Amino acid sequence: MELPVCREDQRVGSLRLREQGGWAELVMTCQPDSTGLFRGFLACDGGELPLGVLSPEGGCLRAARRVPLSELRALGTARRGFCRLSYPFGGENWQPVTNGFFRRCFRGTLEKTEGALWREDQERRWLAVPWNCGRPFPLTELLCFVQVREIQGRPYALLSFDSDEWPQMP
């Protein structure tokens, strides 16, 4: 079986899934990308299966993993592969917002906002929400605190919070 691999809603490769003798062999192959290190995942109805760091091989990025078939079946139907930037080269270390502080603060809002990023430095915690002039901003109550900036080649609304978790003016 072959599934598409996506990054930020764009197809960037394929994921080959093969069953053999009680095992599932998964091989993800993606277009080369020099912006950083990426991790591959298999998205299933019941959750995600990490495949590991994508490494350069033969002009593309590749990750492979072998898991017991029972482990894969426990996750439900395999839908697609996806890759996430784990570590950017030569820049700020932005991470996907998956849980923690920002999910608690903006429960219900950020779940609908795909591609939100966060990072911390010594003084502040930063939230970057994808910016699209043609769509409503998901955190309207914080719009006056927004600074629009390009991150990883895309426009983002950047918000900063102090150690007491109060938003700060740009």
Side-chain angles (χ1 to χ4, degrees), residues 55-71:
S55 58
E57 188 177 305
C60 59
L61 296 176
R62 187 175 183 276
R65 182 165 178 202
R66 189 173 182 215
V67 297
L69 201 47
S70 59
E71 183 181 331

Side-chain angles (χ1 to χ4, degrees), residues 20-110:
Q20 184 175 353
W23 291 88
E25 294 178 357
L26 300 114
V27 178
M28 180 180 282
T29 307
C30 297
Q31 300 167 357
D33 191 318
S34 60
T35 60
L37 291 177
F38 293 86
R39 291 186 182 277
F41 298 85
L42 171 65
C44 300
D45 288 339
E48 300 173 356
L49 178 70
L51 304 178
V53 174
L54 293 160
S55 58
E57 188 177 305
C60 59
L61 296 176
R62 187 175 183 276
R65 182 165 178 202
R66 189 173 182 215
V67 297
L69 201 47
S70 59
E71 183 181 331
L72 181 61
R73 287 189 176 145
L75 290 172
T77 304
R79 296 294 176 188
R80 66 181 177 97
F82 67 94
C83 55
R84 237 183 235 146
L85 183 65
S86 285
Y87 183 81
F89 295 145
E92 302 160 331
N93 193 11
W94 290 97
Q95 302 291 316
V97 174
T98 55
N99 57 24
F101 169 75
F102 291 115
R103 288 280 187 215
R104 284 191 317 274
C105 290
F106 306 113
R107 190 176 316 266
T109 305
L110 286 181

Side-chain angles (χ1 to χ4, degrees), residues 101-102 105-106 123-127 139 142 159-168:
F101 169 75
F102 291 115
C105 290
F106 306 113
E123 300 170 13
R124 295 183 181 191
R125 190 176 284 168
W126 298 84
L127 173 65
L139 305 170
L142 296 174
L159 295 157
S160 68
F161 299 83
D162 66 15
S163 60
D164 293 324
E165 300 178 355
W166 286 97
Q168 301 297 298

